[in-house]
Amino acid sequence: MKCLTNQKVRLFLRHCAQHRSLLRVGKELHGVLTTSGLKKAPRSYLSNSLFQFYAASGDVANAQKLFDEIPLSEKDSVDWTTLLSSLSRCGFLGDSMKLFVEMRRKRVEIDDVAAVCLFGVCAKLEDLGFGEQGHGFAVKMGLLSRVKVCNALMDMYGKCGFVGEVRRLFEMLEEKSVVSWTVVLNTVLKWEGLENGREVFHEMPERNAVAWTVMVAGYVGAGFTGEALELLAEMVFKCGHGLNFVTLCSMLSACAQSGNLVIGRWVHVYALKMGEEERCDHFMVGTALVDMYAKCGNIDSSMKVFRLMRKRNVVTWNALFSGLAMHGKGRMVIDMFPEIVREVKPDDLTFSAVLSACSHSGLVEEGWRCFHSLRSYGLEPKVDHYACMVDLLGRAGRIEEAEMLMREMTVPPNEVVLGSLLGSCSVHGKVEIAERIKRELVQMSPGNMEYQIVLSNMYAAEGRIDVVDRLRGSMRNRGIRKMPGMSSIHVNGSVHRFSAGDRSHPRTKEIYLKLNEVIERIRSDGYVPHVSGLVSPSEVDLEDKEQAVCFHSEKLAVCFGLLVTKPRTPLYIFKNLRICRDCHSAMKIVSKIYDREIIIRDRNRFHQFKGGSCSCSDYW
């Protein structure tokens, strides 16, 4: 060490940070510098270099520790901004905002890098208030003359839904980069729809791979599979924009959200034809494929991709466990848990996925063991873990135990925890507890009327029509309507969407004829419409109630699928709400009579109907 000057040590640490293979060497050098006392040598700035090394390598804990040890007089704006960027990049968003406030209080110079980082954090959190304060500060400091800062600010407003502000800032820009245009494109597609987004896309003087990817993802999200494939072909083969690991993951994420397996498979094939170097980050692409196949209803392909990955990290495992949880394969998750422990260190999200899997499969004792083992892995129970446990106990009918756990939480229960318990009360008919939970939810979120609707359905099931009429009358007077159920089905490259009682489809007549046939056949096999939770402002007779449940959106989607696909072809349905008891019962019989596998993804999970039974074992 004597032959090395402080400057050479700093250069070597910078070199270690740039090459992942040298991270261990950098940490060993840290040990040598500490034991030798060189780290604390006056004006050596070795602590600053070590801090920069850990921040660049993503080790936030050590970076924060070293940063706190550096005297304030030896910290410059680069150190502060480096920590800010590191916290943001690694997902410590709240800590990033606190650090920015501290930087302002200590009068640290805020440059364009820090401003971009701040607006990025606000965009991720959709924190408009903090973002607007940052906007005012940027104007005061003259930072909006920098294109990167303005782009980040536009992205923040776009994520928060302020399209007008995005357009205003864009028009003010003297130099509009391709990134500026792409931010506008992404915002318009999200909030104004495909038509307006297409106009922005065609106006762009220059398009890079990201802009193309955003536009393709827009088509995928809107259900235009054919158009998305055409645009993909034009992007790759005509314009020469190859897909890198970032654009591959963006595309796969869009497919996962929309349930578009056709585009997802196209992207998978494209990724397989790329070399390892071109793929650049096989962890990310492989994880995105695992997630996409699981969310598109093909859990077997998800598992196959997972097993074929040569290297996996904790994010990959979490994606698989979450997918298995959605498909009701809790026992498989429990059996695989020792495997993840041997390969990587489980994190908070791992335990959330495992507890969710237990919840969807009714594995109460296994869930308790998992919950109690958190601290043995150096983790403290978070609100998400409590939410999963409350859900697990509630689904199992142990409502009082679930409420007791909620009251004993070490962190205040949020809307998710209370909402989960209310849902369990609805399933198990615990009206008294539901009324108590609903009052707490109204205090927490006065504008959310979903909880009023849940309680209203519980009263209807008990036959308390006067209370139901009063509740729903109050909601109507306030202009509140229940979110309509929507179901979609992918057929031959197109998405067909249905709502309850929908008659807008071009083949409506054939669909309703098929529906009559289906209802008649499943009735002969024992189907009885479930109408106990149905009521309207004026009393309706049983026949009208039965007709109402027969016209639910998923039944219309399935009937359309039976009409236009070949016999024995699996049907994939995606619904925005939780599947009701009546449709669940009907689908089981339809799968048996028509010899079809019917996979329905509702708001919470997958239901795989086959041969008269469901993968959830009637536990959902």
Side-chain angles (χ1 to χ4, degrees), residues 509-614:
K509 188 174 180 180
E510 296 169 83
I511 292 168
Y512 276 87
L513 284 172
K514 189 69 178 178
L515 177 63
N516 290 337
E517 174 207 306
V518 168
I519 296 300
E520 190 176 327
R521 290 189 65 180
I522 64 176
R523 275 185 184 276
S524 65
D525 203 82
Y527 165 71
V528 177
H530 183 87
V531 297
S532 64
L534 272 183
V535 71
S536 73
S538 57
E539 284 287 340
V540 293
D541 59 28
L542 183 61
E543 187 177 342
D544 287 338
K545 288 184 179 182
E546 291 182 355
Q547 189 178 59
V549 295
C550 288
F551 290 171
H552 278 184
S553 61
E554 51 267 64
K555 291 191 181 77
L556 297 177
V558 164
C559 288
F560 176 72
L562 293 173
L563 269 177
V564 299
T565 59
K566 295 178 181 179
R568 296 198 174 93
T569 303
L571 301 178
Y572 291 85
I573 313 294
F574 298 86
K575 183 169 183 183
N576 64 331
L577 302 177
R578 183 178 184 269
I579 188 172
C580 71
R581 294 182 191 180
D582 180 77
C583 287
H584 193 271
S585 301
M587 294 303 163
K588 288 193 292 185
I589 304 174
V590 171
S591 70
K592 180 178 69 174
I593 290 177
Y594 288 88
D595 192 20
R596 294 286 191 120
E597 184 179 5
I598 303 170
I599 298 97
I600 295 182
R601 184 177 91 180
D602 71 5
R603 186 169 64 179
N604 298 324
R605 61 169 295 155
F606 275 93
H607 297 268
Q608 185 178 7
F609 301 95
K610 190 174 182 180
S613 62
C614 179

Side-chain angles (χ1 to χ4, degrees), residues 494-505:
S494 297
V495 175
H496 299 262
R497 293 186 174 86
F498 299 89
S499 58
D502 196 346
R503 294 186 179 272
S504 62
H505 196 278

Side-chain angles (χ1 to χ4, degrees), residues 42-172:
R43 298 293 175 182
S44 67
Y45 297 105
L46 291 177
S47 289
N48 303 64
S49 296
L50 283 165
F51 154 70
Q52 296 277 352
F53 160 73
Y54 281 113
S57 59
D59 189 339
V60 178
N62 274 316
Q64 181 76 65
K65 184 179 178 183
L66 280 158
F67 180 84
D68 293 339
E69 291 175 0
I70 301 170
L72 184 61
S73 60
E74 294 185 15
K75 291 176 189 171
D76 60 14
S77 61
V78 174
D79 292 324
W80 286 90
T81 304
T82 299
L83 182 59
L84 184 69
S85 299
S86 182
L87 289 168
S88 171
R89 190 172 61 251
C90 296
F92 295 92
L93 306 181
D95 293 326
S96 298
M97 297 175 87
K98 289 176 185 175
L99 182 66
F100 185 85
V101 171
E102 188 180 351
M103 288 170 71
R104 293 284 296 122
R105 193 169 60 246
K106 292 186 175 173
R107 301 186 183 280
V108 177
E109 181 186 351
I110 306 295
D111 59 10
D112 52 351
V113 176
V116 167
C117 184
L118 170 69
F119 292 134
V121 169
C122 292
K124 289 174 186 174
L125 293 172
E126 296 182 13
D127 190 329
L128 182 64
F130 207 92
E132 285 180 324
Q133 290 179 46
H135 183 178
F137 171 77
V139 170
K140 182 180 176 182
M141 300 300 294
L143 292 173
L144 289 189
S145 60
R146 321 281 172 83
V147 177
K148 287 184 178 179
V149 175
C150 208
N151 290 343
L153 180 59
M154 287 195 300
D155 186 55
M156 184 277 294
Y157 278 118
K159 294 290 193 301
C160 295
F162 281 67
V163 185
E165 191 63 21
V166 173
R167 290 186 183 275
R168 189 185 69 80
L169 287 165
F170 180 74
E171 292 303 324
M172 287 171 55

